[in-house]
């Protein structure tokens, strides 16, 4: 099954999951996630999925600067309701990487390793920053994502309109797909560490 080559070049995220270690799913609990994992979860690749991926990476690097982040040891607070805009899509990617789940999450084993209720949503939009908190020491960062820093190609709207026509040709659909994924590529490969696009604030 093919996918754009840049998926494999995108930054990867290494975490340590004590539950995976306990249950023998990964040596030492070490899990390496790739952008392709997020694509498979979402079923597509888009700026939102890429932005969520980079937001997770940015937050975990800030909270765990010298070691892999502890999956399941992080609480995530979304800045908007679950059904508002792309909030739910972003949250799903964050759950993949951090293990933080809402009310339907894993209850734990022997009073440990619970993932339930580690992901929360605001009752109303409170801004654009996602809060990530370590459960062991309370360290918290807020990450705000500004995708406007990497605008789409000027011709993208026209290419999309053509590709969505019932009589669209294979060439028209391919042209749109290339232009769409080019923005994702630029986000992941050229702006993964861009502080203007990924604004991190340490909270006390």
């Amino acid at each position: 099954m093919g996918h754009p080559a840049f998926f494999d070049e995108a930054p990867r995220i290494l975490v340590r999951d004590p539950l995976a270690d306990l249950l023998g799913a990964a040596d030492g609990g070490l899990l390496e996630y790739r952008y392709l994992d997020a694509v498979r979860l979402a079923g597509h690749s888009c700026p939102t999925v890429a932005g969520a991926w980079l937001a997770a990476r940015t937050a975990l690097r800030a909270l765990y600067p010298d070691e892999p982040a502890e999956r399941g040891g992080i609480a995530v607070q979304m800045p908007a309701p679950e059904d508002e805009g792309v909030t739910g899509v972003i949250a799903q990617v964050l759950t993949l990487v951090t293990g933080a789940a809402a009310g339907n999450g894993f209850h734990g084993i022997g009073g440990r390793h619970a993932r339930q209720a580690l992901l929360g949503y605001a009752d109303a939009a409170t801004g654009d920053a996602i809060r990530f908190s370590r459960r062991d020491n309370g360290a918290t960062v807020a990450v705000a994502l500004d995708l406007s820093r990497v605008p789409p190609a000027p011709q993208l709207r026209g290419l999309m309109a053509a590709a969505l026509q019932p009589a669209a040709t294979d060439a028209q659909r391919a042209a749109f797909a290339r232009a769409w994924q080019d923005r994702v590529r630029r986000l992941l490969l050229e702006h993964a560490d861009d502080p203007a696009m990924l604004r991190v604030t340490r909270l006390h």
Side-chain angles (χ1 to χ4, degrees):
M1 295 182 292
H3 56 265
F6 75 84
F7 285 11
D8 297 324
E9 301 172 32
R12 301 185 179 194
I13 301 175
L14 179 68
V15 298
R16 181 180 58 82
D17 191 325
L19 179 60
D21 187 22
L22 173 68
L23 299 180
D27 291 343
L30 291 175
L31 300 169
E32 184 180 69
Y33 288 99
R34 300 180 297 161
Y35 177 64
L36 183 57
D37 295 320
V39 172
R40 287 170 171 158
L41 172 71
H44 66 283
S45 169
C46 69
T48 295
V49 173
W53 180 258
L54 294 177
R57 174 178 179 263
T58 298
L60 298 189
R61 291 174 77 188
L63 290 173
Y64 298 84
D66 302 315
E67 60 182 330
E70 182 180 325
R71 190 174 187 275
I74 304 146
V76 177
Q77 179 64 40
M78 301 299 295
E82 181 178 9
D83 59 354
E84 181 170 307
V86 295
T87 300
V89 176
I90 293 172
Q92 289 176 348
V93 175
L94 300 184
T95 293
L96 170 70
V97 176
T98 69
N104 61 345
F106 181 59
H107 290 237
I109 299 177
R112 301 170 59 193
H113 307 297
R115 309 294 164 85
Q116 184 185 39
L118 295 182
L119 172 67
Y121 296 90
D123 293 330
T126 59
D128 59 354
I130 307 166
R131 293 172 56 127
F132 298 79
S133 301
R134 286 182 57 158
R135 301 174 66 199
D136 57 354
N137 62 15
T140 301
V141 297
V143 177
L145 182 66
D146 182 6
L147 294 178
S148 69
R149 299 285 301 179
V150 184
Q155 71 273 24
L156 184 65
R157 187 179 296 273
L159 291 171
M160 176 184 285
L164 290 175
Q165 293 298 316
T169 65
D170 289 344
Q172 287 173 314
R173 287 192 289 268
F176 165 64
R178 284 194 300 270
W180 179 268
Q181 291 304 326
D182 184 65
R183 186 184 182 202
V184 177
R185 179 192 62 77
R186 287 182 284 133
L187 287 166
L188 291 170
L189 302 190
E190 299 174 13
H191 294 269
D193 298 306
D194 184 351
M197 188 181 82
L198 294 147
R199 302 189 305 274
V200 182
T201 304
R202 293 187 180 277
L203 305 176
H204 300 288

